[in-house]
Amino acid sequence: MTELHRLDIRELAQGLASKQFSSLELTQHFLARIDRLDAQLNSFITVTHESALAHAKSADALRAQGNAGVLTGIPIAHKDIFCTEGVRTSAGSKMLDNFISPYNATVVAQANAAGLVMLGKTNMDEFAMGSSNESSFYGATHNPWGLDRVPGGSSGGSAAAVAADLAPFATATDTGGSIRQPAAFCGLTGLKPTYGRVSRFGMIAYASSLDQGGPIARSAQDCAYLLQVMAGHDAKDSTSIDHPTEDYVAALAAVTSPDKPLQGLRIGLPHQYLKDGLDADVKARVHDALAVLEDLGATLVWIDLTTSDAAIPAYYLIAPAEASSNLSRYDGVRFGHRCENPKDLMDLYTRSRTEGFGDEVQRRILVGTYALSAGYYDAYYLKAQKVRRLIQNDFLKAFEQCDVIAGPTAPTAAYAIGAKQDPVAMYLGDIYTIAVNLAGLPAISAPVGFDTSYSGHENCAPLPVGLQLIGPYWSESKLLSIIHQYQQRTDWHKQRAPIASDTGASV
Ligand code: GLN
């Protein structure tokens, strides 16, 4: 049974269907791995042992009655940004350390309805603000490929848990790269869907016009299984779009020529994504991956995304502005952290928020409140929104020349915990991911090899490198199937981090 964590989602589904193992055995297996290994990683904030075992038993009972779905009984981890009824939902913040959600996010309800068994809630940057998982109130998460390295953020806990085989797949969210960048840093596949594809109901808001939930898993195929569960219109979310969903799993296999499955696909390469500032090894791995895609039949075309440089400044105005508004609800009155013995109402607000929010969150509230204040709104927020439209137009124009756009997910592989003390240095790492959120487009990151020379680091396994593909609106199944074809030809997605090989056998 020690190798159950090596199985992919299809194999897990088949094993359950053919009764090779039960959901209870599977769930116990993953819980035991979490108990044994997570002290080194800190990828979970909360592990729901008891309810996981109870749900696994119900899943087995459903199967015995012949009422199981494909995924019934497979374990999953949820990012601690999704509200889970009766379970703490902290968003990585002291502010919500005592918050037990009275209801489920739609994504969690969908996962439950599919029979998935929640193992627990994963660590994350506080309120999803960050690129390294270091801003969590619950402490940094460690990258399974090198324990002194960040796993990426803000969905770093979900990525580290999957990369260490503590969960077969996990939910995550992406406001400016938080699915794709941790997937890249941890050697995983992660998909940020089109804005409006996945419900935001019960997903704690950071920047509402940018936030989008999606899967983090080992492969495109595993992501397709989870997207199938998460996607769909939700009347409870006014920004959810009533656009038909697809059978994302079936779409993976839809190729015309088995030899050249990507025949006719035009992949755009933005000059701006492959210039200076990009780590040499990352660049080399991206080019290696492009060569494989060409070999599969795709053609490469150089394109220009002239607004690329404007993405970081626009995002770091719009996201904090929306955050300052969203986070105003944490006032110490209705729910969340409340300071001791307030002198008066103003003292209650001030101290509750000062104590409850960490430094990065306070920094963003300050920036966002300033950008929205009278007299500055036009100069900053409105201007940033206009830039946002130009960025969107830039992508739409590019898609006249190509079907998808390729480039690196992040400029470097995972850096050391503590290495980026300057917030702006951290923000610059989002250079390739955030324009996608400003435009509302879907994008995927997939592992394409390793950076072996990164920053002269010793005693660390080679660090994974991610390739990003950006597609037009609603092209989720296209992105998944391109990466699926790539993963049929390569085995980067099958490589395991050193810690994942720990089966506990010698313990
Ligand atoms: N790193 C970006 C930020 O800090 C994106 C985070 C995210 O996607 N949630 O805002």
Side-chain angles (χ1 to χ4, degrees):
M1 281 304 165
T2 48
E3 297 298 304
L4 283 177
H5 55 275
R6 293 271 162 155
L7 303 179
D8 66 20
I9 299 299
R10 171 163 296 184
E11 292 163 338
L12 288 173
Q14 284 166 350
L16 286 165
S18 60
K19 308 232 165 31
Q20 285 171 48
F21 43 82
S22 66
S23 174
L24 186 60
E25 285 167 317
L26 198 54
T27 303
Q28 282 168 333
H29 180 81
F30 279 105
L31 289 173
R33 286 185 65 77
I34 294 170
D35 292 344
R36 196 172 62 252
L37 299 171
D38 201 42
Q40 295 172 66
L41 297 169
N42 197 25
S43 67
F44 281 86
I45 291 175
T46 304
V47 182
T48 48
H49 291 93
E50 279 175 31
S51 68
L53 295 173
H55 282 130
K57 285 182 195 157
S58 323
D60 286 333
L62 274 178
R63 200 168 283 284
Q65 294 154 14
N67 291 329
V70 183
L71 301 179
T72 301
I74 296 181
I76 188 168
H78 289 305
K79 184 175 180 178
D80 206 17
I81 200 164
F82 291 104
C83 286
T84 39
E85 187 179 344
V87 176
R88 172 172 60 179
T89 300
S90 73
S93 180
K94 178 179 179 183
M95 184 57 92
L96 290 176
D97 182 48
N98 62 5
F99 176 60
I100 308 288
S101 174
Y103 67 98
N104 280 328
T106 296
V107 161
V108 172
Q110 287 164 317
N112 291 346
L116 294 171
V117 173
M118 180 176 84
L119 297 167
K121 309 289 296 292
T122 58
N123 205 349
M124 55 179 282
D125 279 300
E126 185 176 3
F127 285 103
M129 297 176 193
S131 313
S132 68
N133 223 102
E134 292 165 284
S135 76
S136 168
F137 170 62
Y138 301 92
T141 298
H142 300 255
N143 189 319
W145 291 91
L147 294 176
D148 71 332
R149 299 276 142 171
V150 303
S154 64
S155 311
S158 287
V162 177
D165 284 341
L166 306 188
F169 52 13
T171 55
T173 63
D174 191 311
T175 302
S178 285
I179 291 177
R180 293 160 284 156
Q181 186 254 24
F185 279 13
C186 291
L188 301 171
T189 307
L191 177 82
K192 181 255 169 215
T194 304
Y195 183 78
R197 175 70 301 173
V198 169
S199 169
R200 293 191 302 109
F201 178 77
M203 193 177 105
I204 293 175
Y206 161 18
S208 307
S209 75
L210 302 159
D211 299 341
Q212 186 60 199
I216 286 190
R218 298 206 155 278
S219 62
Q221 180 172 289
D222 289 0
C223 280
Y225 276 106
L226 187 49
L227 182 64
Q228 194 97 5
V229 172
M230 299 174 81
H233 178 241
D234 182 11
K236 291 182 188 153
D237 168 9
S238 60
T239 58
S240 163
I241 300 178
D242 195 359
H243 182 87
T245 55
E246 290 167 61
D247 185 335
Y248 299 104
V249 178
L252 294 175
V255 290
T256 40
S257 148
D259 230 29
K260 296 273 178 205
L262 302 184
Q263 195 73 50
L265 180 79
R266 296 165 307 162
I267 300 180
L269 299 184
H271 290 109
Q272 293 79 359
Y273 284 16
L274 291 157
K275 55 173 201 183
D276 317 339
L278 178 58
D279 176 89
D281 260 32
V282 173
K283 190 172 179 174
R285 293 301 87 76
V286 167
H287 282 294
D288 295 346
L290 292 170
V292 175
L293 295 171
E294 271 188 299
D295 205 42
L296 290 166
T299 45
L300 307 180
V301 276
W302 283 99
I303 59 164
D304 274 305
L305 288 174
T306 51
T307 55
S308 296
D309 286 350
I312 289 181
Y315 173 92
Y316 279 100
L317 271 167
I318 294 169
E322 293 185 14
S324 74
S325 163
N326 276 322
L327 270 53
S328 65
R329 73 190 62 164
Y330 304 107
D331 54 7
V333 176
R334 289 160 294 182
F335 55 89
H337 175 75
R338 177 182 297 187
C339 68
E340 301 275 337
N341 308 319
K343 283 200 303 285
D344 52 30
L345 188 61
M346 199 45 80
D347 186 43
L348 169 73
Y349 290 153
T350 311
R351 278 204 292 124
S352 297
R353 287 169 68 81
T354 305
E355 292 167 10
F357 291 135
D359 289 350
E360 184 59 25
V361 173
Q362 294 196 31
R363 180 177 300 121
R364 302 219 186 173
I365 292 173
L366 286 170
V367 169
T369 308
Y370 180 81
L372 289 178
S373 55
Y376 295 107
Y377 179 92
D378 289 357
Y380 294 113
Y381 186 72
L382 201 62
K383 187 67 133 271
Q385 289 288 27
K386 289 179 178 170
V387 171
R388 179 177 191 173
R389 175 53 63 96
L390 296 178
I391 290 169
Q392 182 187 24
N393 289 346
D394 216 12
F395 278 114
L396 296 182
K397 213 168 93 233
F399 287 128
E400 291 169 7
Q401 285 170 266
C402 60
D403 303 302
V404 294
I405 295 169
T409 305
T412 65
Y415 42 86
I417 292 173
K420 296 214 175 164
Q421 298 294 339
D422 171 10
V424 177
M426 179 91 71
Y427 302 165
L428 291 173
D430 299 335
I431 177 95
Y432 305 120
T433 49
I434 58 181
V436 166
N437 300 71
L438 289 168
L441 295 166
I444 194 166
S445 177
V448 292
F450 294 93
D451 182 340
T452 46
S453 62
Y454 185 64
S455 63
H457 179 63
E458 289 152 27
N459 306 324
C460 175
L463 297 165
V465 169
L467 170 84
Q468 176 175 228
L469 291 183
I470 305 166
Y473 297 110
W474 313 111
S475 65
E476 286 78 6
S477 61
K478 173 179 272 179
L479 295 173
L480 288 165
S481 70
I482 296 168
I483 295 300
H484 181 64
Q485 294 309 325
Y486 174 83
Q487 292 178 338
Q488 301 299 100
R489 195 63 78 88
T490 56
D491 67 355
W492 303 117
H493 63 293
K494 291 193 176 149
Q495 309 282 324
R496 281 337 207 235
I499 194 173
S501 314
D502 182 340
T503 58
S506 58
V507 178

